[in-house]
Amino acid sequence: MVNKKSVVPSDIEFIRILWCDNANIIRAKSIYKNSSEDSKYYVGISEGQQGVPAVYDAVVEESGLSPVGEVQLKADLSSFTPVPYSPGHGRFMGDMKKNGETWDYCPEGF
């Protein structure tokens, strides 16, 4: 087994995976780093997260999205940045994946 060097420094304990939703709001979900390999940095969100407007906390009906169904936010390893105001935290931008492919609603996939 090849032991690759991690892109995440050893003093980072928590990973935030960020995305920009269709209301142009930066959102994040955090995970504890533990001993996971870099390739395992991902979290699940509901599809409806891309249909939530800035003015209220519910999915816009006309979006065609639902709170049922999951999309994976997979960390873009080239985007790692330590969070300067929160020691022990780092962040990645997330790529939205559904069934292993870039999801149609993924902002980075446009």
Side-chain angles (χ1 to χ4, degrees):
M1 183 167 111
V2 177
N3 187 5
K4 295 185 342 183
K5 183 173 169 57
S6 174
V7 297
V8 180
S10 61
D11 64 333
I12 300 295
E13 294 183 66
F14 294 94
I15 301 293
R16 300 175 189 190
I17 302 178
L18 287 70
W19 77 97
C20 183
D21 69 10
N22 288 329
N24 204 28
I25 297 172
I26 302 297
R27 300 187 186 266
K29 209 163 177 190
S30 296
I31 56 175
Y32 179 67
K33 182 175 115 181
N34 65 27
S35 61
S36 293
E37 299 173 21
D38 288 349
S39 63
K40 307 273 186 194
Y41 295 140
Y42 62 87
V43 293
I45 61 169
S46 74
E47 292 179 3
Q49 288 290 92
Q50 281 298 80
V52 176
V55 294
Y56 64 96
D57 207 14
V59 179
V60 173
E61 191 173 324
E62 292 81 12
S63 71
L65 298 170
S66 164
V68 177
E70 186 174 77
V71 176
Q72 277 191 336
L73 276 177
K74 188 165 176 25
D76 174 356
L77 298 180
S78 68
S79 67
F80 177 76
T81 308
V83 179
Y85 50 84
S86 189
H89 290 247
R91 62 184 170 217
F92 290 101
M93 285 304 296
D95 293 322
M96 294 178 174
K97 303 285 185 183
K98 182 158 179 137
N99 301 324
E101 301 292 324
T102 300
W103 188 41
D104 292 340
Y105 290 86
C106 176
E108 286 200 326
F110 286 146

